[in-house]
Amino acid sequence: MARMKFLCDADRCIECNACVTACKNEHEVPWGINRRRVVTINDGLPGERSVSMACMHCTDAPCAAVCPVDCFYTTEDAVVLHSKDTCIGCGYCFYACPFGAPQYPRVGNFGTRGKMDKCTYCAGGPEADMTEAEYVKYGSNRLAEGKLPLCAEMCSTKSLLAGDGDIIADIYRERVVTRGYGSGAWGWRSAYGETVSV
Amino acid sequence: MTIFTKMSRVIAVLALGLFAMIAQPQASQAQDIINPTAESVTEDALMEALNGDAQVQGRVSIPDDLSSGLIKPANRGWADTHGGPVRTVNLIAVVGMIVLLVAFYAIRGKIRIDSGPSSERIQRFSATERFAHWLMAVSFIVLALTGLNLVFGRAVILPVFGEDAFGTLSAWGKIAHNYMGFAFMLGLILSFVYWIAHNIPDKVDMHWLSKGGGLFVKGVHPPAKKFNAGQKGIFWSVTLGGAALSFTGVMLLFPELAGGEAGWQLYQVIHGVVAAILTAIVIAHIYIGSVGMEGAYDAMGSGEVDLNWAKEHHSLWVEEVQGKSSDGTDDGSARPGTQPAE
Ligand code: HEM
Ligand code: SF4
Ligand code: SF4
């Protein structure tokens, strides 16, 4: 099985936010929650770069380490998913995540923040694949259909790459060598404990 | 790494600080290569420029400022602390204390009233004092159990009860923890007000401590006032530890008050560690107040204790209350209804 990863080639990202929109639409993500976002660094200054960021599906996922109810699990494709039935909305995973990926329907922590929501790598949740129950809680399950995450698939500049970590790293490396520059595999060090060396 | 990336890194670091086009001698070396990213930010440079717990920060166009933090490498540090040392401290404190108490019980056994139970009883705690104590005690036990569930539940309860039951239990536990906190704070304030006057350390405590409180040798009973040095220790642990738990607990409940993510994480670790230590102390307190000592429970149960028990464990206090009542000089500092049983 593949070790799925995301890689955002910031030298190609044009901050169109289509990935953000496509994700919201594909999974009917509720108001106020964005599973993916585009962050612009040094906005308006020379050398500004935009990075599309969501859950990176970490190696040794810190969210899973702190969850008091242990509701995270890692699939065969190394995708980090969680069970909304078990989640108690304590918010610990937000503080553990290096990318601010986990989000909640409510702010504050009194009572509960509600069931945590985050990027599923378009791989659904613990319910049976491609069922209504799965769709309502986690959105569609494109991986089960043999497709890759929609955000990366529809990215017009092919800045956002999704797929087997080795393959997308090779694609990125080739780009950097060919064009002669690259601002880095954003987030890889924090997520996977390694970076793409060129 | 090619010479090229090495160079572009050096250039990027420089460009970070100097966005104005200040001619640098080093930069001139790169001028013969067309490089549209000469001034581009790179992840490496930004990560190196991070100090401490800061995050790589940018701008987002969606209306949610919280999501403008791109990478927060320090969060893994908190996750490691929470999933590691905080759990270890809890395990050592709670299990360690239980092991110690079982050993103590096995060696010393139940501490009996040496002179045997008397026929007389003496009022020790009024109904209001007992209310404050039990408000604090019941809420503390609920808080400690639901808190420990957050730390050990996934290792201990989940495998036994399964995901559904454990999820439901933890969800209720979280709600109980949130609300009981306020009952605990009220109990803490009341008991502080009622008992602070009796808990100022003095010379008697030094003597009591030097005799080990008579806990380890049969028949030894160093004099003590209303509270002996050990009880004063419990009082101050609960007061200070409880205050720390209350403060950090409220910060955890209302993250906007906690001063950012790093602040919340710090309060969380303090909350977890102080809770572990205080729980261990309170387990010892529960032991000595129940199975560990004959006659002790009555003080908080009915409020009346056996006179012989009182003379053995709180000799100066007995003299004080009996002396006072017999001269009829009740200066108001005596507890309401504190009279020797005739
Ligand atoms: C006095 C007011 C208190 C408040 C407002 C409070 C609040 C909280 C909150 C908000 C959490 C985070 C977890 C969650 O959201 O469910 C928490 C965790 C915890 N609390 Fe409290 N708490 C209080 C007192 C106590 C006391 C008295 C104890 C026990 C001895 C305790 C033990 C714990 C433990 C062990 C945790 C888990 C820590 C961890 O996960 O590492 N708390 N508390
Ligand atoms: S990016 Fe965040 S939510 Fe996703 S696996 Fe890593 S720690 Fe968990
Ligand atoms: S919010 Fe839910 S998923 Fe996140 S740590 Fe708490 S219980 Fe686990």
Side-chain angles (χ1 to χ4, degrees), chain B residues 207-280:
Chain B
H207 180 247
W208 189 91
L209 285 174
S210 71
K211 293 269 179 264
L215 284 169
F216 303 98
V217 194
K218 219 173 144 78
V220 174
H221 293 294
K225 294 186 184 164
K226 177 153 178 162
F227 293 123
N228 62 40
Q231 290 168 314
K232 289 181 185 178
I234 299 276
F235 174 86
W236 287 109
S237 307
V238 170
T239 301
L240 300 176
L245 286 173
S246 303
F247 175 75
T248 52
V250 169
M251 291 297 136
L252 296 182
L253 280 184
F254 305 102
E256 15 356 326
L257 303 176
E261 286 169 43
W264 192 95
Q265 291 165 343
L266 179 67
Y267 292 133
Q268 204 283 334
V269 170
I270 296 174
H271 195 84
V273 170
V274 174
I277 297 167
L278 193 56
T279 303

Side-chain angles (χ1 to χ4, degrees), chain A residues 92 109, chain B residues 82 86 140 143-144 147-148 150-151 174 177 181 184-185 245-246 249-250 252-253 268 271 275 279:
Chain A
Y92 281 12
N109 195 16
Chain B
H82 177 270
V86 173
F140 186 92
L143 287 163
L148 285 174
L150 293 177
V151 183
K174 171 164 167 48
H177 198 95
F184 176 75
M185 288 185 235
L245 286 173
S246 303
V250 169
L252 296 182
L253 280 184
Q268 204 283 334
H271 195 84
T279 303

Side-chain angles (χ1 to χ4, degrees), chain A residues 53-64 72 80-81 93 96-102 116 118-119 190-191, chain B residues 76:
Chain A
M53 185 58 83
C55 170
M56 291 288 277
H57 304 277
C58 301
T59 307
D60 294 329
C63 52
F72 290 89
V80 178
L81 299 177
C93 48
C97 175
F99 307 103
M116 188 273 276
K118 72 168 188 68
C119 159
S190 302
Chain B
R76 254 193 201 266

Side-chain angles (χ1 to χ4, degrees), chain A residues 63 66-72 82-83 86-94 102 104 114 116:
Chain A
C63 52
V66 299
C67 177
V69 293
D70 205 9
C71 74
F72 290 89
H82 73 292
S83 161
T86 317
C87 170
I88 59 172
C90 68
Y92 281 12
C93 48
F94 173 79
Y104 311 89
M116 188 273 276

